[in-house]
Amino acid sequence: MASRIDNRQMKKKRRWPYWVGGILLAIILSVVGYGLYIFNQLDNAVETMHQPLERDTEREKEMEGIFTNKEAFNVLLLGVDERTNDAGRSDTMVFLSLNPNTDSMLMMSIPRDTYTNIPGRGDDKINHAYAFGGADLALTTVEEMLDVPIHYYSKVNMEGFVQGVNAIGGVTVNNSLAFTEGGTNFPEGEIHLTGEEALSFTRMRKQDPRGDFGRNDRQRQVIQAAISEAASFSSFTKVGDIFDILGENVRTNLDMNDMQTVFSNYRSTRNNVKNIQVNGNGSTMGGVWYYVVPDEEMSRIKTEIKDHMEAT
């Protein structure tokens, strides 16, 4: 039984690392993008990407106060699989908190099968929240689970990752384990990756003695390399391609003014990223497999998030 559960977990978890990379790359490119406004490339992309939520109006004053006082704010990053005649589900949920006072960013991937309460729907897998009520309900569900506000969201499709990495000229990482994945050989040492290669690099798990821990390290390397490359001068000449990709693949409630503020006051948080891991156990209830997070573990996570947000 344990073996079957492990195999099921492995299949369901294989997809999230490259979704995370795509989502983070998209939102960081969006944020960094304000600095490229002089190229007159951003307006159309932002207009296409901007998709406000019903709840945004009532939180407008709250966000003005946070930005005025340079306080921490939180973002939910969504990797959504949407098909014709299907509401879609969020294959990936990543919680991101930016604190300008400590110049630090906290990042946490929320397992898609996490057992939690979905407001108005009852206990279910957290990724079903998006299917039931779109980004609005997804944000509300994560807020209730973590007991912190989610101020913004950004969602991206799979193509946003591969195209985005290619648009910035690829990423350079330091590989500690030689392996082959997706038909590509990855030798030890410093290697430069295209978008397709970066995707394969973040997917590998079976050949790594450290399993998920090794895969997570590779994923973080790609994410941080993409962030650094996107913020570098060498990427500026590719701004047109980058924003075309964002406009096609990203939706967010960040508008132009928000991006300006984040670029001005929060961009240094990318230099100090702390990752939180959600520890839990697989459990079958009513014939359905869930990822159950113990109360004490959830309390630890909530404390870490609040400590990060309140740090000065």
Side-chain angles (χ1 to χ4, degrees):
M1 175 65 72
S3 177
R4 287 198 297 272
I5 289 177
D6 290 343
N7 288 336
R8 201 177 312 164
Q9 283 182 282
M10 179 177 66
K11 291 178 181 178
K12 291 183 177 181
K13 288 183 177 180
R14 286 183 65 185
R15 300 181 64 185
W16 77 261
Y18 52 82
W19 274 108
V20 173
I23 300 165
L24 280 174
L25 175 58
I27 193 169
I28 293 300
L29 285 174
S30 301
V31 170
V32 171
Y34 188 82
L36 311 177
Y37 182 69
I38 57 175
F39 290 94
N40 295 317
Q41 298 285 342
L42 187 54
D43 279 332
N44 290 337
V46 171
E47 184 177 349
T48 302
M49 290 189 300
H50 188 229
Q51 193 172 79
L53 304 177
E54 292 182 8
R55 52 190 253 150
D56 288 346
T57 301
E58 62 188 55
R59 298 198 173 197
E60 187 174 350
K61 290 185 177 180
E62 176 186 351
M63 285 311 302
E64 286 179 358
I66 288 174
F67 283 161
T68 298
N69 298 319
K70 294 184 180 181
E71 299 173 356
F73 76 95
N74 305 322
V75 183
L76 184 66
L77 313 178
L78 300 167
V80 179
D81 181 17
E82 292 178 308
R83 302 172 184 176
T84 304
N85 300 320
D86 185 0
R89 288 185 176 85
S90 52
D91 277 346
T92 293
M93 285 183 163
V94 178
F95 172 84
L96 194 66
S97 183
L98 288 72
N99 188 335
N101 298 306
T102 57
D103 276 340
S104 62
M105 180 187 299
L106 184 148
M107 182 172 66
M108 179 180 71
S109 177
I110 303 172
R112 53 173 286 171
D113 295 317
T114 299
Y115 187 69
T116 193
N117 176 65
I118 298 177
R121 291 283 182 167
D123 294 338
D124 204 336
K125 295 184 178 184
I126 197 166
N127 73 316
H128 289 177
Y130 184 88
F132 293 147
D136 272 289
L137 186 56
L139 267 65
T140 300
T141 300
V142 175
E143 282 183 332
E144 181 177 289
M145 185 179 77
L146 299 180
D147 193 29
V148 293
I150 309 295
H151 305 102
Y152 292 105
Y153 83 97
S154 181
K155 69 174 181 176
V156 67
N157 65 38
M158 177 57 190
E159 290 301 313
F161 175 79
V162 173
Q163 293 178 11
V165 170
N166 285 334
I168 61 175
V171 294
T172 299
V173 299
N174 197 329
N175 185 26
S176 61
L177 176 70
F179 64 92
T180 299
E181 179 75 15
T184 300
N185 295 319
F186 298 95
E188 288 188 29
E190 186 175 283
I191 53 177
H192 189 76
L193 308 174
T194 65
E196 292 80 2
E197 291 167 345
L199 181 96
S200 296
F201 185 76
T202 58
R203 291 183 70 178
M204 196 281 282
R205 173 177 182 266
K206 291 183 179 180
Q207 303 170 57
D208 196 320
R210 297 182 299 157
D212 280 336
F213 292 105
R215 181 183 64 174
N216 291 346
D217 284 346
R218 286 185 292 279
Q219 174 229 334
R220 286 193 290 269
Q221 276 203 66
V222 170
I223 290 170
Q224 296 196 234
I227 290 172
S228 295
E229 184 63 30
S232 72
F233 181 78
S234 63
S235 297
F236 283 13
T237 58
K238 301 165 186 173
V239 63
D241 291 340
I242 289 173
F243 287 122
D244 284 344
I245 292 167
L246 290 175
E248 293 174 3
N249 296 289
V250 180
R251 295 295 177 266
T252 179
N253 58 344
L254 284 159
D255 62 20
M256 179 69 78
N257 291 331
D258 298 328
M259 290 184 188
Q260 177 184 12
T261 301
V262 174
F263 179 80
S264 299
N265 299 332
Y266 294 81
R267 59 177 171 168
S268 295
T269 62
R270 66 185 173 86
N271 296 320
N272 181 18
V273 180
K274 177 181 180 181
N275 293 274
I276 293 182
Q277 183 171 318
V278 179
N279 299 309
N281 302 287
S283 179
T284 300
M285 293 178 276
V288 180
W289 190 89
Y290 297 94
Y291 189 73
V292 180
V293 182
D295 290 342
E296 58 271 23
E297 170 67 359
M298 190 57 68
S299 294
R300 178 190 69 83
I301 291 170
K302 291 177 180 178
T303 298
E304 284 204 48
I305 293 173
K306 291 176 180 177
D307 287 348
H308 167 83
M309 292 179 65
E310 295 170 0
T312 57

